[in-house]
Amino acid sequence: KLTMINVWGTFCSPCINELPELSKLNAEYADRGFQVIGIPLDTISYDGSIDSAQKEKAAQIVEQVGADYTHLLPEGNLLKIAQQVIYYPTTMFVDENGNQVGDVFVGAKSKDGWAAVIEEYLK
């Protein structure tokens, strides 16, 4: 029903700090058709290829903080979306058809802050 797309960077402390909270939300709302997808944007090189060192760094962070939801590399269609991101983290929501739901959010939120947004969008 609802997917949260969180674009983050390995250099971004607020991004990394909210990853465990997003993991909790992913689990808590799963039975209501909700999921979180993370995109570590700084895994891409200037030429558009995936930077293997940054990819490994992102994977280490995900494991270290327990962000056990899906993380996708910014390739293909995701690259086009991700290239529009200027600030980290940037979060958007899409429905089951891939249509954007609500606003695009810039900056990190607390678990309760995101829960309020999710509740509103799941109505």
Side-chain angles (χ1 to χ4, degrees):
K1 281 184 173 183
L2 185 67
T3 300
M4 171 192 251
I5 302 171
N6 176 257
V7 181
W8 61 281
T10 61
F11 60 89
C12 171
S13 295
C15 299
I16 295 166
N17 290 339
E18 84 174 341
L19 294 177
E21 302 295 305
L22 298 182
S23 185
K24 291 174 188 172
L25 291 165
N26 187 62
E28 289 174 18
Y29 284 92
D31 63 342
R32 293 180 59 190
F34 173 80
Q35 68 175 336
V36 178
I37 294 177
I39 302 175
L41 188 57
D42 62 338
T43 55
I44 192 159
S45 299
Y46 290 108
D47 66 2
S49 65
I50 297 298
D51 179 319
S52 60
Q54 283 299 105
K55 177 181 170 184
E56 179 60 30
K57 185 175 182 181
Q60 288 173 353
I61 290 168
V62 165
E63 183 177 340
Q64 193 173 44
V65 302
D68 59 352
Y69 52 89
T70 302
H71 293 266
L72 302 174
L73 296 174
E75 300 176 296
N77 289 338
L78 288 179
L79 178 57
K80 294 174 190 170
I81 294 168
Q83 285 177 326
Q84 297 174 35
V85 171
I86 299 171
Y87 303 104
Y88 293 81
T90 294
T91 304
M92 62 202 79
F93 293 83
V94 296
D95 65 17
E96 63 268 21
N97 298 314
N99 299 311
Q100 183 177 326
V101 175
D103 297 321
V104 173
F105 296 88
V106 175
K109 288 188 181 296
S110 67
K111 181 176 177 261
D112 289 342
W114 282 125
V117 173
I118 294 164
E119 286 289 342
E120 178 67 28
Y121 290 169
L122 282 173
K123 285 183 184 177

